[in-house]
Amino acid sequence: MKNKATESDFFLRVYDVVRQIPDRRVCSYGAIAAHLGMPRSARMVGWAMNAAHSKPDVPAHRVVNRNGMLTGKHHFGGPRVMQQLLENEGHQIENDQILNFKNSFWDPSNPV
DNA sequence: CGTGTGACTAGGA
DNA sequence: ATCCTAGCCACAC
């Protein structure tokens, strides 16, 4: 019998990875995509995040582009929500960009 | 079933 | 250093 997944497995995997992001840490789309075996499908990660919008367990606000810029802040129901959430976790943001992003970056394939 | 688009990334000028 | 182009996969129409 075939189970009809309400959502693609790819999306579910993305959610799973994002949920593994520890507190006070952030991740990039490319890192997640690479962890899923699709380093070139970073776009799809963002697209999955769009669906993750419905998943309170998925801290999409911890996922930013490789520049540490809050590219998807506009999709949180408010351009201020994402920044607010990140600052609430101890991140410093300026000009829509995470300060010391490199230091707060967390690699799913290399969770030191 | 074909086309278009997207919360990206890497490489070239 | 900045700016532009191409590639990529999945989903919606």
Side-chain angles (χ1 to χ4, degrees):
Chain A
M1 50 209 277
K2 296 192 248 164
N3 276 356
K4 216 85 169 273
T6 48
E7 296 171 304
S8 295
D9 296 335
F10 181 77
F11 278 42
L12 297 176
R13 289 184 191 182
V14 176
Y15 305 149
D16 190 37
V17 176
V18 176
R19 275 182 275 202
Q20 291 176 52
I21 302 176
D23 296 341
R24 313 268 184 153
R25 283 284 199 276
V26 290
C27 192
S28 65
Y29 303 97
I32 297 171
H35 186 66
L36 297 176
M38 302 187 194
R40 305 169 188 181
S41 303
R43 291 179 161 195
M44 292 290 73
V45 178
W47 199 263
M49 298 271 85
N50 229 337
H53 208 249
S54 232
K55 316 279 177 186
D57 294 330
V58 181
H61 60 273
R62 291 183 189 159
V63 185
V64 295
N65 71 349
R66 74 176 199 82
N67 286 327
M69 195 174 197
L70 285 60
T71 46
K73 68 174 185 183
H74 200 44
H75 285 258
F76 279 77
R80 285 281 172 162
V81 180
M82 190 174 187
Q83 180 172 341
Q84 192 72 69
L85 289 169
L86 287 169
E87 288 183 337
N88 194 12
E89 296 194 354
H91 295 292
Q92 283 184 298
I93 302 173
E94 188 170 305
N95 199 13
D96 296 337
Q97 192 173 349
I98 300 177
L99 301 182
N100 207 7
F101 165 69
K102 198 171 176 185
N103 192 26
S104 296
F105 180 76
W106 177 81
D107 189 341
S109 289
N110 188 18
V112 187

